[in-house]
Amino acid sequence: SKVVNIGCNFITSVGGQRLIESCTPLEKLVRLDLSGNSLGHKVSHLAGPGCGPCLYDILRENLSLREISLAGNKLGDADVKFIADGLCENFTLASINLSNNDLTCVAGDYIRQMLCTNGDLSELNLGWNKLSNKGTMLVLDGLRGNNVL
């Protein structure tokens, strides 16, 4: 099994896209730690979704990945839309860390929808975000329909 830890390396969304694309086909990759970088679309100097589409691809295509940490990346709601969509098609990932990003109640709704579909995720870290009462209630609503978390 392979573990890639490249956290806290000042990687921006451009470098992150290339890195994630190179990790997507790795058949034995079980853990990917990209925490503490700047992968979110809000810090990208390019117009566009940042690393969101690449994160969607790796979650949809890499069936050996069990853990991913995206903590502290300035990810926003648009990024989480791609992540949640990828997790709706992924039934091997057990743990995702999305703590310390810029997630609001909009992301809470994307996560709610994902939790209603994905029954294999056993650990979800959303600490230190801006979900507010509304976003938290949406996530809790998704947890009601999830038998694992």
Side-chain angles (χ1 to χ4, degrees), residues 1-132:
S1 64
K2 296 179 182 176
V3 174
V4 175
N5 182 343
I6 196 154
C8 299
N9 275 289
F10 303 102
I11 299 170
T12 65
S13 63
V14 174
Q17 288 173 8
R18 292 187 182 121
L19 176 66
I20 294 164
E21 287 168 355
S22 68
C23 289
T24 299
L26 296 178
E27 292 179 10
K28 295 185 179 184
L29 180 66
V30 294
R31 188 178 323 139
L32 180 59
D33 185 349
L34 296 170
S35 60
N37 287 296
S38 295
L39 303 179
H41 78 282
K42 290 184 177 185
V43 295
S44 174
H45 297 315
L46 305 172
C51 286
C54 295
L55 290 167
Y56 169 80
D57 288 342
I58 196 169
L59 291 170
R60 188 174 51 90
E61 296 173 20
N62 189 311
L63 301 179
S64 62
L65 192 62
R66 302 284 298 147
E67 293 179 44
I68 189 167
S69 180
L70 299 166
N73 268 292
K74 300 181 178 98
L75 296 173
D77 298 333
D79 301 302
V80 170
K81 170 77 170 121
F82 286 103
I83 294 167
D85 287 349
L87 285 172
C88 285
E89 299 180 38
N90 179 305
F91 301 102
T92 57
L93 195 77
S95 174
I96 186 164
N97 186 344
L98 293 169
S99 66
N100 197 23
N101 281 292
D102 293 323
L103 310 185
T104 71
C105 66
V106 174
D109 192 41
Y110 299 145
I111 293 165
R112 177 192 62 79
Q113 294 171 34
M114 176 274 298
L115 288 171
C116 291
T117 304
N118 186 311
D120 293 294
L121 195 64
S122 59
E123 184 177 344
L124 172 64
N125 187 339
L126 295 170
W128 295 95
N129 279 291
K130 301 169 187 169
L131 292 174
S132 74

